[in-house]
Amino acid sequence: SQRVVIIGAGIVGVNLADELVSRGWKDITVVEQGPLNMPGGSTSHAPGLVFQTNPSKTMTRLAKYTVEKLLSLKKDGQGCFNQLGGLEVATTPERLEELKRRHGYATSWGIEARLVSGEECIQMYPLLNKETVLGGLHIPTDGLALAARATQLLIERTREAGVRYLGNTPVTDIERSNGHVTGVTTPNGSVPADIVVSCAGFWGVEIGAMVGLQVPLLPLAHQYAKTTALPGLRNREVNSRINGMNATLPILRHQDQDLYYREHGDQFGIGYYGHRPMPVVAGSLGLTPEHVDEKNMPSRLDFTSRDFETAWNESEKLLPALRETHIADGFNGIFSFTPDGGPIIGRAPDLEGFYVAEAVWVTHSAGIAQAVAQILTTGRSEIDVGECDISRFEEIQLSREYVSETSQQNFVEIYDIIHPLAPKVSPRNLRISPFNVRQRELGAYFLEVGGWERPFWYEANAELLKYLPAKWQPVERDAWSAQHYSPISAAEAWKTRNAVAMYDMTAFHRFEVSGPGALHLLQRLTTSDLKKEPGSITYTLLLDDAAGIRGDIFVSRIEDEVFQIGANSATEFHYLSREARFQRQQSPSQWVQVREITGSTCSIGLWGPRARDVIAGVSTDDFSNKGLPYFGVKKVHVAGIPVLAFRKSYVGELGWELQTSAELGLRLWDAIAQAGKLHGIIAAGRAALNSLRLEKGYRIYGADMGTEHDPLEAGVVSAVDLKKKDDFVGKAGLSRRPKTPARRLRCLAINDGQSLVLGKEPVFYKGKAAGYITTAAFGFTVGRPIAYAWLPGSVSLGETVEAEYFGRHIAATVVAEPLYDPRNSRLLD
Ligand code: FAD
């Protein structure tokens, strides 16, 4: 067991201590700046509503575990969770539709949920106004977490198990030596440690700053008010005097007006997200006083009643009985928001032994603590927490300005109905490729991901629709799937398959691994044998010790000691960088460095049966099968511009990714566009690309597969070289994985040829929820919608399943994949 210091005794810190002692770790100290009986952080006043359903599978599973744990935590026969159920109501037709989608998420992620009519809502919650409520979503296992009580019970339990608590003890510095933490500094002296985990909630920025780590969270105040006693409830029998147990109605959400409600005995608690964002700098709040009480704590600011006026008016409309009450008490409570709304957990990329677990709701607290404890004790979390990992952010996303703007936007949108493709409102045009000016001229429809502007289609291609053969005509879409969509994508897909198109591939991550130890590093971390001649490309996997997939990457050997990696996210970059650092320390002769080159380079995917005609007009290099075979890479010149040409294709057609440095990008684009004119070249967008890649069965890491899956289940076993002699991370784990997988990622073709799904919908097999859709698209070449789905391994090819889309069941057939060109003849010719 290592010496662990946990900073913060909020619901996250104490849960982590508990999860660690339950795994046999012994030397644990929790250091808390406030008094332990009420530390004064967000947990001290959290109303504790736990709505488990979330579009994210990870977040839902973390919430589910939290509920289970809180239910099990008891003292004097009384627990820490009042399982009243959760009711989300709709007062608009749009919300009613959204609730159907949320019902789908719940079903996909294994949470029991029921769509209920307006009348049923009233039966369940008689105080609701029957004139306004159109329907609802009921989750019987949701409820109220008694967060402060749970924290105290966990402190008691872990103390008995030997955890040491230092209350009223602020951490003022983190001690380090040789890139490793060694302890924390407090006014009472140092506390030595091998591992420090910051569970400091919205003080995370200040703790991070002690070690030069930018923690991308923004503390924001959020209004919470309590009414006076409701006359109708005054004599109601309440089943406990413990705050939170004295409630009988489901917890209630009225997202159309950014409101939520719970009971406090005969009073009502009202939470509101509709007010202006109110950012706070935690460091400006001063020291936590020695004595904290419910009214005086650093995380609680004065109530600004004017910001609550709309909330009150809307609450009276929804719950008319509240007209007989008024606000007895209110406050602006502080907690953390982040650029993408997710928690921030995991290892600091550049400091060994330093971890964070911040921006975590009570709802996910025990789940996050379990995940972090598993990472610390076994190296991996059972629940895939990649989307919560601090290393998912790129440098630009860590800037104070970016964090502030995007986190405030997340506050504003917290209950909004957000389309899965919807871009951020702001900042836009943060990262643009060198082709952006031309893309605008062509009428690109841009969507944003990770700050990158990515064209989805080009209005300039609209006239191609006139010539589109009947077989390629897209189907009519429903209002939801028609958002951020244009039939022009069908024409772009058609041109790619039948002529040639250019795609902007700049936003994909690229980094360079170089040095005498480069091969050794990549041999050790990937599933393939990379001892190949320079000029080869390999599609390979990064596994964890248990053979869960932690990434899929393209490795191109450019020179003996220079490799280029094509990856999905910043996480892979941080992983490789850290492993390279270890290798440099452990064997200096195997020196290796990892360098980010995404922004300094750019890339055009030139693909289609006429790609060779285009390139011949603009380059004298040999692009024949012999000169540059499939999965080969070489240096060439295109219109006099030095280019790295990668013979690979994300759409399944002949062609290359042509990469050059950023400043030459525009010239490269123009040269190819000019040379392509004769051959009918077009610029094509991500919507077409997504359809074409799905027809080829190419997976998207994170959406189609993750650390919860092994290569066999995910259908990527061809990326594992079973004969590879060198040991690699995950090799032993692979041999422990079942040879007949219990679940598999399968390709579905929608039977009626037109009903679309978008991803995350539940899939039913023999009438039972059995899996979920990962990614989906209309397959323009195959002329029908297609989807990938996780299904039980026993489901066979040719069997029928049903996906639920807005409450409607859509029949689909499990089909052999890939649907397009299974022999790769289009790629190899
Ligand atoms: P905290 O409880 O803030 O704990 C962090 C601790 O770290 C603090 O005790 C602090 O004193 C300590 N600390 C900080 N710096 C130092 C230092 N330098 N040295 C030593 N100790 C330090 N979530 C839900 O799930 N459901 C809800 O209904 C809900 N409603 C909310 C309503 C309001 C009004 C607010 C403000 C929040 C709400 N939340 C809700 C969010 C939830 O309360 C928080 O996300 C959660 O409590 C955070 O827990 P934590 O342990 O990470 O942070």
Side-chain angles (χ1 to χ4, degrees), residues 277-303:
M278 302 188 232
V280 177
V281 176
S284 70
L285 295 171
L287 294 177
T288 301
E290 218 170 291
H291 300 288
V292 164
D293 63 45
E294 286 214 353
K295 302 271 162 172
N296 298 301
M297 56 175 84
S299 60
R300 186 184 154 120
L301 304 178
D302 289 342
F303 191 57

Side-chain angles (χ1 to χ4, degrees), residues 453-675:
E453 295 294 336
R454 308 187 306 175
F456 264 59
W457 66 85
Y458 295 88
E459 287 297 329
N461 295 327
E463 65 182 85
L464 292 174
L465 285 170
K466 285 190 227 149
Y467 312 102
L468 198 60
K471 176 182 164 306
W472 284 83
Q473 289 293 339
V475 296
E476 279 293 308
R477 293 196 168 205
D478 64 281
W480 183 250
S481 64
Q483 288 187 38
H484 306 296
Y485 161 78
S486 163
I488 293 171
S489 303
E492 294 179 359
W494 169 61
K495 281 291 253 180
T496 311
R497 291 269 187 254
N498 293 287
V500 60
M502 52 204 285
Y503 288 82
D504 182 355
M505 303 300 285
T506 304
F508 285 90
H509 287 73
R510 292 176 292 283
F511 41 93
E512 193 182 82
V513 179
S514 61
L519 177 63
H520 179 68
L521 179 80
L522 293 168
Q523 279 292 89
R524 191 161 60 76
L525 301 184
T526 71
T527 55
S528 306
D529 195 344
L530 300 168
K531 286 181 186 153
K532 299 175 181 171
E533 290 299 306
S536 63
I537 305 175
T538 309
Y539 171 70
T540 187
L541 304 176
L542 303 167
L543 301 181
D544 61 25
D545 284 331
I549 305 170
R550 60 179 302 164
D552 66 338
I553 57 174
F554 287 92
V555 180
S556 304
R557 190 164 198 179
I558 312 294
E559 295 169 19
D560 265 341
E561 295 185 357
V562 180
F563 294 80
Q564 186 176 310
I565 312 296
N568 301 289
S569 71
T571 306
E572 290 95 327
F573 173 74
H574 289 300
Y575 174 52
L576 263 69
S577 297
R578 177 167 179 261
E579 292 294 333
R581 196 164 65 228
F582 286 153
Q583 190 171 305
R584 285 196 298 269
Q585 285 159 0
Q586 281 156 15
S587 39
S589 66
Q590 292 291 326
W591 191 90
V592 53
Q593 74 163 5
V594 184
R595 194 165 64 91
E596 170 65 63
I597 58 166
T598 311
S600 59
T601 54
C602 58
S603 173
I604 296 170
L606 176 66
W607 294 312
R610 305 192 69 176
R612 260 198 198 111
D613 300 329
V614 176
I615 206 77
V618 77
S619 176
T620 53
D621 283 285
D622 184 358
F623 282 85
S624 69
N625 278 339
K626 196 150 172 275
L628 185 53
Y630 183 56
F631 265 42
V633 54
K634 74 173 182 181
K635 291 177 181 168
V636 295
H637 279 85
V638 176
I641 300 163
V643 161
L644 261 181
F646 299 81
R647 174 93 187 264
K648 66 186 173 82
S649 164
Y650 210 45
V651 298
E653 298 296 333
L654 170 71
W656 313 272
E657 282 179 28
L658 302 170
Q659 176 187 315
T660 190
S661 55
E663 89 283 18
L664 296 169
L666 188 55
R667 195 175 177 84
L668 180 65
W669 177 280
D670 285 344
I672 293 171
Q674 181 63 30

Side-chain angles (χ1 to χ4, degrees), residues 7-12 31-33 39 41-43 45-49 169-171 199-201 203 207 222 224 260 331 333-335 360-363:
I7 305 173
I11 188 97
V12 177
V31 187
E32 166 57 55
Q33 65 185 3
S42 308
T43 307
H45 56 55
L49 290 83
T169 309
V171 168
C199 301
W203 284 271
I207 301 284
H222 151 58
Y224 191 77
Y260 64 84
F331 62 96
I334 308 168
F335 73 114
V360 179
W361 287 36
V362 169
T363 302

